[in-house]
Amino acid sequence: QQQVKQSPQSLIVQKGGISIINCAYENTAFDYFPWYQQFPGKGPALLIAIRPDVSEKKEGRFTISFNKSAKQFSLHIMDSQPGDSATYFCAASNKGTYKYIFGTGTRLKVLA
Amino acid sequence: NAGVTQTPKFQVLKTGQSMTLQCAQDMNHEYMSWYRQDPGMGLRLIHYSVGAGITDQGEVPNGYNVSRSTTEDFPLRLLSAAPSQTSVYFCAISKTGSDTQYFGPGTRLTVL
């Protein structure tokens, strides 16, 4: 049962453009929403995360927007660079359970 | 992949063979987990442990066994490998009270 739906499956963006990846969840008990970045042959690495008590979190060129009523959250990558080319996963969990549900991933390619 | 090691990096098995995937950490984190990553499926939780002597099932536990006798190690056992277990396996750790997960570099397993 897929509880976190991620889109698009793949994304191609020009250098300097904005990359937007969306996720939607079903379980209203989720209260932690991280984004992971994964390069080929490597394990996922935490990029940025948000809790539902805020609507936006920004770290450098990466921003999470969170819409609690719509049960949706998105990752925005500003000024996208070729080095950002990777697979991005959203996830959700209940605090303290350590059980994460991942989205299916988005393969991002930033053209030079 | 700070402090998390996985062995082997690659493995090919025949149907019915058994093997153990190793995961070790030197960060003294209480929580350890195993995920499998399949194309178009994201990462799915197999088993997890909140401390030595304590394990529990995740989303896709069938066909896998785990044990946790020390804080440092969390091996994943396949008793009778099946082609459906062909996947990339990731071990992850987290510290109690922190939501950040650190992933290992992964083991690519092929079952013929």
Side-chain angles (χ1 to χ4, degrees), chain A residues 18-29:
Chain A
I18 301 174
S19 303
I20 301 174
I21 305 171
N22 301 300
C23 281
Y25 62 98
E26 301 168 3
N27 188 344
T28 55

Side-chain angles (χ1 to χ4, degrees), chain A residues 2-7 22-26 71 73 90 101-104:
Chain A
Q2 181 64 35
Q3 298 185 46
V4 178
K5 295 182 178 180
Q6 183 172 346
S7 63
N22 301 300
C23 281
Y25 62 98
E26 301 168 3
K71 293 188 289 186
F73 59 109
C90 63
I101 303 296
F102 281 80
T104 52

Side-chain angles (χ1 to χ4, degrees), chain A residues 1-2 9 32 36 38 41-46 51 87 89 93-105, chain B residues 1 9 31 35 37 40-43 45 48 50 57-59 90 94-105:
Chain A
Q1 181 180 1
Q2 181 64 35
Q9 186 175 359
Y32 179 70
Y36 284 84
Q38 184 181 31
K42 304 293 185 182
L46 179 66
R51 293 201 179 278
T87 300
F89 293 95
S93 73
N94 298 4
K95 181 178 173 59
T97 66
Y98 304 102
K99 296 177 72 172
Y100 293 77
I101 303 296
F102 281 80
T104 52
Chain B
N1 308 120
K9 195 171 181 62
Y31 178 73
Y35 291 87
Q37 183 176 22
M41 300 289 290
L43 292 99
L45 183 64
Y48 65 100
V50 298
Q57 296 181 351
E59 187 181 355
F90 289 101
S94 182
K95 189 169 182 60
T96 301
S98 169
D99 294 300
T100 302
Q101 280 198 113
Y102 299 97
F103 283 82

Side-chain angles (χ1 to χ4, degrees), chain B residues 10 27-28 32-33 60 64 94 100:
Chain B
F10 301 96
M27 298 178 69
N28 200 33
M32 299 184 76
S33 59
V60 288
Y64 307 95
S94 182
T100 302

Side-chain angles (χ1 to χ4, degrees), chain A residues 2-104:
Chain A
Q2 181 64 35
Q3 298 185 46
V4 178
K5 295 182 178 180
Q6 183 172 346
S7 63
Q9 186 175 359
S10 63
L11 181 63
I12 299 175
V13 174
Q14 294 287 338
K15 178 182 176 181
I18 301 174
S19 303
I20 301 174
I21 305 171
N22 301 300
C23 281
Y25 62 98
E26 301 168 3
N27 188 344
T28 55
F30 289 148
D31 60 1
Y32 179 70
F33 304 90
W35 284 91
Y36 284 84
Q37 180 187 56
Q38 184 181 31
F39 293 104
K42 304 293 185 182
L46 179 66
L47 186 62
I48 187 173
I50 197 169
R51 293 201 179 278
D53 54 343
V54 296
S55 60
E56 185 176 282
K57 183 174 182 179
K58 183 176 182 179
E59 290 184 2
R61 296 185 293 109
F62 301 93
T63 299
I64 299 180
S65 296
F66 186 82
N67 186 329
K68 188 174 182 178
S69 61
K71 293 188 289 186
Q72 295 176 348
F73 59 109
S74 60
L75 175 69
H76 296 237
I77 305 175
M78 312 299 288
D79 186 25
S80 298
Q81 299 296 314
D84 297 330
S85 297
T87 300
Y88 293 82
F89 293 95
C90 63
S93 73
N94 298 4
K95 181 178 173 59
T97 66
Y98 304 102
K99 296 177 72 172
Y100 293 77
I101 303 296
F102 281 80
T104 52

